[in-house]
C-alpha cells in the first residue's frame, strides 16, 4: 500500500519542494493510516511533519477520549499536535447549517490557519464513491460526480486511490490502533446510509465496484477538465472593454455555455453556486434583462453586453429630504406633490391625504425596520423582504424613496401607499407624487 500511496504522491506532485506537512487526524482508521505512512516517508521526502485534531464537541466524553487518543499517538511518534476545539452545534445553529456541513467548514478553517506548506487529509477512493453517489442523488452536474480533488490549493489527499478495505488491512498488518466514531455506525447521516446500504447492494451487482469507479473517475475527470478548459477559453474570447459579448456565448454548445456561467459565478458570488443561479443567468443572457443573484450581486444584459455588477452592502448610501415648495429633492430625482382631482379613475394605491404632509413629512432612503402592508393581501412585510421578492437589485434600493410622516411609512416608490393611508371616497384632499428625473 505504501507503494500505491507513493505513486499517488508522485503522480500529482503532492510533496514537490515541500518543507512542512500537517496531517488532519481524527483518530479513525483512515487518518491513523495516513499518519503512519507519512511518518515512514518523512525522511525520503525531507519534510517536517505535524498534526491537527479538531474536536467538534458533538459526542461529549467520546470526543474527549478521541482527543486523548490522538495526543497519545502523536506523542509516541514525536509528532507535534495542534488541537482545535469548536462548538459545531452552536455554530451550525447560528449559520443555519447542517452538522455535517458545519463540521467540514470548521475543520477546513482550522487547516487554513496552519502555516504548513501542505495539509494532508485522509480521503480515500471509498469516500469518493460515496460522495459521487450522494451528489448524483441530488441531481449534480458532471463536476459533482467526479472524484474528490487529489490536490486543492494546500490540501493533499495521498490515500485518494486506496479503498477503505485496503486501509483497514494496512492497520491490521501493522498493528495500528484507531478509534471508531459512534456516529459513523448509524444511518442518521446521508453518507452513512450510502455506506451501509447502497454500496453493499451495488457490490452484489459488481464485486469490483471500486475498480469500476476508479475507471469512471478517470474518464469523467478527463471530460470535465476538457470542458472546463474550453469554457475558460470561451470566457476569455468573449471579454470586451465594457463586459462580455452576449453573442459569443450564444454561439456556444449548451455544455460549454453553462460551464462558462458557473465559472463566472464562482468567481463573483460569495456563497455556493446552485443550479438555479446558472439557470437564471442563462435566461438573462438569452432574453436580455437584469436579474439579482444574491444580496450583493446582479447581472445585466443590454446591447449584447453582459455585466456582472457587485454592490458593496457595507456602503449603502442614506439620504433624507424635506418638503420645500411642494416637492422633495433626493440625490437622484425630484418628487412633486400634485392634487388628484379625478380620484374615481386614478390609481389609488399611489395616493394619500394631503393632511399627512402637515405632520413632519420626510422623504428618505429605506431604513432597517421599515415595514409595508399590502392593500390587496393585507399582509405586512419588511421592505427588505419586499424588495427581495420584487428582485430589486441592491444597488438600486437606496435610490428608492420612502415617504415618512410622524415616524410612519406612508408611501414607497415603486410599491405604492401603505394600506393604513390609502385614500377613500371620503378623503378631502387626495394627492399623489409625480416623479421627475434629475
Amino acid at each position: 500500500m505504501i507503494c500505491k500511496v507513493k505513486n499517488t504522491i508522485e503522480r500529482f506532485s503532492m510533496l514537490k519542494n515541500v518543507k512542512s506537512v500537517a496531517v488532519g487526524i481524527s483518530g479513525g482508521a483512515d487518518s491513523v493510516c495516513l499518519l503512519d505512512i507519512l511518518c515512514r516517508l518523512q525522511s525520503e521526502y525531507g519534510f517536517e511533519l505535524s498534526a491537527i485534531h479538531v474536536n467538534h464537541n458533538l459526542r461529549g466524553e467520546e470526543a474527549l477520549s478521541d482527543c486523548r487518543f490522538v495526543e497519545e499517538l502523536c506523542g509516541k511518534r514525536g509528532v507535534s499536535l495542534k488541537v482545535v476545539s469548536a462548538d459545531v452545534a452552536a455554530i451550525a445553529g447560528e449559520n443555519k447549517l447542517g452538522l455535517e456541513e458545519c463540521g467540514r467548514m470548521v475543520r477546513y478553517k482550522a487547516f487554513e490557519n496552519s502555516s504548513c506548506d501542505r495539509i494532508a487529509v485522509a480521503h480515500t477512493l471509498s469516500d469518493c464513491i460515496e460522495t459521487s453517489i450522494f451528489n448524483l442523488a441530488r441531481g449534480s452536474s458532471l463536476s459533482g460526480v467526479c472524484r474528490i480533488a487529489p490536490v486543492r490549493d494546500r490540501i493533499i489527499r495521498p490515500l485518494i486511490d486506496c479503498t477503505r478495505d485496503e486501509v483497514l488491512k494496512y492497520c491490521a498488518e501493522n498493528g495500528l490502533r484507531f478509534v471508531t466514531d459512534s456516529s459513523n455506525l448509524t444511518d442518521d447521516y446521508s453518507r452513512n446510509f450510502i455506506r451501509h446500504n447502497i454500496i453493499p447492494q451495488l457490490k452484489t451487482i459488481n464485486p469490483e465496484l471500486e475498480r469500476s469507479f476508479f475507471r469512471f473517475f478517470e474518464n469523467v475527470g478527463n471530460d470535465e477538465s476538457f470542458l472546463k478548459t474550453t469554457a475558460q477559453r470561451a470566457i476569455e474570447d468573449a471579454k470586451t472593454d465594457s463586459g462580455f459579448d452576449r453573442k459569443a456565448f450564444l454561439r456556444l454548445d449548451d455544455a460549454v455555455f453553462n460551464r462558462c456561467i458557473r465559472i463566472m459565478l464562482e468567481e463573483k458570488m460569495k456563497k455556493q453556486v446552485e443550479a438555479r443561479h446558472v439557470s437564471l443567468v442563462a435566461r438573462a443572457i438569452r432574453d436580455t434583462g437584469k436579474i439579482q443573484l444574491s444580496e450583493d450581486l446582479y447581472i445585466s444584459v443590454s446591447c449584447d453586453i453582459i455585466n456582472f455588477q457587485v454592490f458593496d452592502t457595507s456602503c449603502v448610501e442614506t439620504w433624507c429630504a424635506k418638503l420645500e415648495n411642494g416637492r422633495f429633492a433626493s440625490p437622484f430625482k425630484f418628487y412633486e406633490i400634485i392634487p388628484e382631482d379625478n380620484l374615481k379613475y386614478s390609481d389609488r394605491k399611489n395616493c394619500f391625504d394631503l393632511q399627512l404632509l402637515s405632520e413632519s413629512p420626510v422623504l428618505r432612503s429605506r431604513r432597517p425596520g421599515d415595514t409595508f402592508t399590502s392593500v390587496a393581501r393585507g399582509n405586512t412585510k419588511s421592505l427588505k423582504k419586499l424588495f427581495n421578492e420584487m428582485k430589486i437589485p441592491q444597488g438600486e434600493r437606496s435610490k428608492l424613496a420612502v415617504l415618512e410622516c410622524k415616524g410612519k411609512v406612508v408611501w414607497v416608490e415603486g410599491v405604492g401607499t401603505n394600506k393604513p393611508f390609502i385614500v377613500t371616497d371620503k378623503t378631502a384632499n387626495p394627492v399623489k407624487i409625480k416623479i421627475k428625473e434629475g
Side-chain angles (χ1 to χ4, degrees):
M1 183 171 169
I2 293 179
C3 290
K4 193 171 189 178
V5 173
K6 282 184 64 176
N7 286 337
T8 301
I9 290 172
E10 296 296 331
R11 181 183 173 197
F12 297 103
S13 302
M14 291 181 177
L15 298 176
K16 187 176 182 180
N17 300 322
V18 169
K19 295 181 179 179
S20 58
V21 177
V23 182
I25 183 165
S26 65
D30 297 342
S31 61
V32 168
C33 171
L34 178 59
L35 178 67
D36 184 82
I37 291 175
L38 289 179
C39 283
R40 294 170 186 260
L41 298 178
Q42 188 176 1
S43 59
E44 181 178 345
Y45 286 93
F47 56 80
E48 182 181 345
L49 187 63
S50 60
I52 301 172
H53 175 76
V54 179
N55 181 0
H56 300 97
N57 290 288
L58 293 174
R59 294 175 291 119
E61 179 56 35
E62 183 182 339
L64 294 175
S65 177
D66 291 352
C67 184
R68 289 192 292 269
F69 170 82
V70 170
E71 289 174 336
E72 182 182 348
L73 175 65
C74 291
K76 288 180 178 179
R77 291 179 174 270
V79 175
S80 64
L81 173 68
K82 178 181 180 180
V83 175
V84 177
S85 181
D87 189 345
V88 169
I91 297 172
E94 291 171 4
N95 294 277
K96 298 180 180 179
L97 299 172
L99 290 179
E100 273 191 291
E101 181 184 1
C102 184
R104 182 183 183 280
M105 180 186 76
V106 167
R107 288 194 300 277
Y108 279 90
K109 185 66 175 178
F111 298 156
E112 287 174 10
N113 292 334
S114 170
S115 60
C116 290
D117 296 335
R118 297 289 183 271
I119 311 296
V121 293
H123 287 116
T124 65
L125 177 60
S126 301
D127 292 314
C128 293
I129 295 172
E130 293 162 8
T131 300
S132 180
I133 294 173
F134 177 72
N135 288 339
L136 186 63
R138 298 172 66 195
S140 173
S141 61
L142 184 61
S143 61
V145 296
C146 291
R147 72 172 169 184
I148 302 169
V151 178
R152 180 176 59 81
D153 300 326
R154 289 191 298 153
I155 303 293
I156 60 173
R157 299 180 169 92
L159 302 184
I160 203 71
D161 292 336
C162 304
T163 67
R164 186 166 293 113
D165 287 343
E166 288 175 322
V167 167
L168 294 174
K169 183 180 178 182
Y170 179 89
C171 290
E173 290 175 348
N174 292 277
L176 301 179
R177 292 175 52 243
F178 55 85
V179 296
T180 301
D181 184 338
S182 62
S183 63
N184 288 335
L185 302 178
T186 71
D187 288 343
D188 294 342
Y189 298 110
S190 299
R191 294 178 191 277
N192 288 354
F193 182 85
I194 292 170
R195 182 181 306 162
H196 299 151
N197 300 278
I198 307 301
I199 300 294
Q201 290 297 318
L202 291 176
K203 283 189 174 182
T204 63
I205 300 172
N206 180 11
E208 298 295 324
L209 184 71
E210 288 92 349
R211 185 177 298 177
S212 296
F213 260 96
F214 183 85
R215 292 195 302 271
F216 170 75
F217 289 140
E218 291 291 303
N219 292 332
V220 297
N222 290 336
D223 292 346
E224 174 63 21
S225 178
F226 170 77
L227 288 168
K228 186 174 181 180
T229 301
T230 304
Q232 289 170 332
R233 190 181 302 120
I235 292 171
E236 289 299 316
D237 292 342
K239 280 185 178 178
T240 70
D241 293 338
S242 54
F244 295 94
D245 181 1
R246 170 178 174 263
K247 290 181 179 178
F249 284 125
L250 294 178
R251 288 193 293 265
L252 299 173
D253 182 269
D254 283 349
V256 179
F257 176 66
N258 290 329
R259 274 168 179 75
C260 287
I261 294 172
R262 183 170 288 276
I263 290 170
M264 291 189 291
L265 289 181
E266 286 172 348
E267 181 182 328
K268 301 289 185 182
M269 291 184 71
K270 294 179 181 178
K271 61 182 182 180
Q272 185 175 359
V273 177
E274 300 174 9
R276 63 185 180 89
H277 297 133
V278 176
S279 178
L280 282 171
V281 174
R283 188 174 68 193
I285 293 174
R286 290 191 174 106
D287 300 340
T288 72
K290 180 182 287 187
I291 292 180
Q292 183 169 358
L293 297 166
S294 64
E295 188 173 341
D296 58 356
L297 177 69
Y298 61 94
I299 179 177
S300 63
V301 184
S302 62
C303 300
D304 286 327
I305 295 296
I306 304 166
N307 276 297
F308 288 91
Q309 297 171 307
V310 179
F311 179 69
D312 185 357
T313 55
S314 65
C315 301
V316 176
E317 184 174 5
T318 59
W319 55 270
C320 185
K322 293 184 178 180
L323 183 64
E324 295 182 6
N325 300 320
R327 72 175 185 176
F328 298 94
S330 84
F332 315 101
K333 306 168 189 173
F334 293 110
Y335 299 82
E336 186 177 356
I337 305 299
I338 61 174
E340 180 51 82
D341 299 323
N342 199 9
L343 184 62
K344 183 177 180 181
Y345 301 102
S346 70
D347 183 2
R348 295 190 181 193
K349 75 172 187 178
N350 281 299
C351 297
F352 50 90
D353 193 338
L354 178 64
Q355 177 64 30
L356 290 170
L357 298 182
S358 65
E359 302 176 355
S360 306
V362 170
L363 200 72
R364 58 170 174 80
S365 56
R366 68 186 176 104
R367 294 174 184 167
D370 284 344
T371 60
F372 186 90
T373 302
S374 165
V375 176
R377 298 183 180 180
N379 56 344
T380 302
K381 298 179 180 179
S382 67
L383 282 188
K384 179 179 179 180
K385 185 173 182 180
L386 192 60
F387 287 169
N388 284 341
E389 292 176 353
M390 295 172 68
K391 294 182 169 52
I392 298 173
Q394 278 286 346
E396 301 297 319
R397 296 183 188 187
S398 64
K399 298 178 182 179
L400 297 180
V402 175
L403 177 62
E404 174 192 305
C405 298
K406 276 194 172 181
K408 297 181 180 179
V409 173
V410 172
W411 171 88
V412 179
E413 182 179 353
V415 181
T417 303
N418 207 352
K419 185 177 181 180
F421 306 102
I422 287 288
V423 299
T424 68
D425 292 335
K426 296 180 180 180
T427 302
N429 296 300
V431 295
K432 66 181 179 180
I433 295 179
K434 184 178 181 180
I435 303 172
K436 295 181 179 181
E437 297 293 334

